[in-house]
Amino acid sequence: MKKIFYIIAAAVVVAACGTESLPSGNGTLSLTAVQEGAYATKANDVLGDFVVDITRPSDGWTKHYDRYSDIPQTISLGSGQYTLTVASPQFRHAAWDLPYYSGSADFTIRVDELTPVNVTASLQNMKVSFVLTESFKNELSSYSIVVTNAASWDAADAAEKTLTWSSLTGDVEQKAGYFSVAPLRVKVDGYRAIDNSESHSELIIADVSAKDHHIITLDARVTGLVNGVSITIDPSVNDRMSDVTVPGWDEVPVEGGDNGDDDDPTDDPGDDPTDDPGDDPTVDPQPSTAPTMTWDANPTFARMAIREGMDVNIIITAPEGIKDFVVEVDSYLLEDAIADMGAEATPDGTAVSMDLIGNVELAEALADLGVPTGNALKDQTQVTFSLSGLVPLIADLGAEPNSEHIFTLKVTDNKNQSLEKTIVFYVE
């Protein structure tokens, strides 16, 4: 454990000592905006309205522009290290039609030089929309759909993190809500058209990340750009499909006529469960063999504070046996150190990828931290994957308060069935 701690600590110190000492004087930053793709002119989507901040960490100097379109083509800055940040003008934890984009880049100003910088502003929140089946529309006379990303329905901040869709507005399928990244809770309350009886259903979507578009289907059934600052808005989303079925009601008999619910099953063989075993509720469907992950200390895989003694023990079950296990780490504090252990950068360069089965060098380096690797994972049907020894080091190494450190676990079994879970840890 100490060996790994020293490796990580040394990497952080080397990075800090490598900061370039620049001669005093001014250089120039040239800014050119490039907007790629087609964008809707809704709130927060217009590039010219983005706010821009330039900061110099060495002394805390900052420069703010309320609108990107107001920035001059060249800006004279003193030599030094800077960070440029662009972002949508508004941020809310939950709001209608309010995608939130942001991005940043570090750059160096040198005396009498023109410095170009490229920044991509990516979608940072999640989109939620609904699809209603015909059964849902026909069976329910009225309904409400409530979505929150608060820790619970009665949390102190629930009001600012909750949106409600309603049948009263008639536009449920046309309205999209945007939420900051946290597990989503969905609650549906409906009233049946035929007799106004109530039905209620809830769903928790724990596997969430930025750019996700959660398209939730509701059903009801009756029982029975170079040379400047190139700012690119990335509006793409990863569709995630979730289904919610409103629990059914007992069928209400209709007077006069045979609805198949009388005492004589012989007049309608469709009511005889023996003629189609697929209709027999006693016949269990074939169980799924896809991998699963459970975390007793954090069942919803919610954003978790980094603390000493924290429990990050995740049970991974793969009935077909584990074929590949990769963990991507997006952490400014850990990435260089993990790369020094043998991990490789992800294709987009935003994280490092730890191949826990195929990378022997990395496996040996991780042994002291209790992270299972190699044969402890290969072809196993159930393993306890522990990050309890690694994650607390982030706080021990002096991570900045409120900084986030993201681990994405990707498991593939021998039938090429895959499961991906993203865990966000933060420093208090």
Side-chain angles (χ1 to χ4, degrees), residues 367-380:
D368 289 346
L369 291 171
V371 179
T373 59
N375 290 332
L377 295 172
K378 181 67 173 177
D379 295 325
Q380 299 300 312

Side-chain angles (χ1 to χ4, degrees), residues 235-278:
S236 61
V237 293
N238 304 315
D239 287 353
R240 297 282 185 92
M241 306 297 291
S242 298
D243 295 338
V244 176
T245 298
V246 175
W249 301 263
D250 289 330
E251 185 58 271
V252 178
V254 179
E255 290 187 13
D258 180 13
N259 64 1
D261 291 329
D262 57 22
D263 294 332
D264 184 7
T266 62
D267 65 349
D268 183 4
D271 288 335
D272 184 357
T274 62
D275 68 352
D276 181 4

Side-chain angles (χ1 to χ4, degrees), residues 375-394:
N375 290 332
L377 295 172
K378 181 67 173 177
D379 295 325
Q380 299 300 312
T381 58
Q382 187 174 82
V383 295
T384 299
F385 182 73
S386 179
L387 291 172
S388 300
L390 177 59
V391 174
L393 293 179
I394 296 171

Side-chain angles (χ1 to χ4, degrees), residues 74-92:
T74 59
I75 301 173
S76 178
L77 298 171
S79 62
Q81 310 287 340
Y82 292 83
T83 298
L84 173 68
T85 302
V86 297
S88 299
Q90 298 181 58
F91 169 80
R92 294 179 189 168

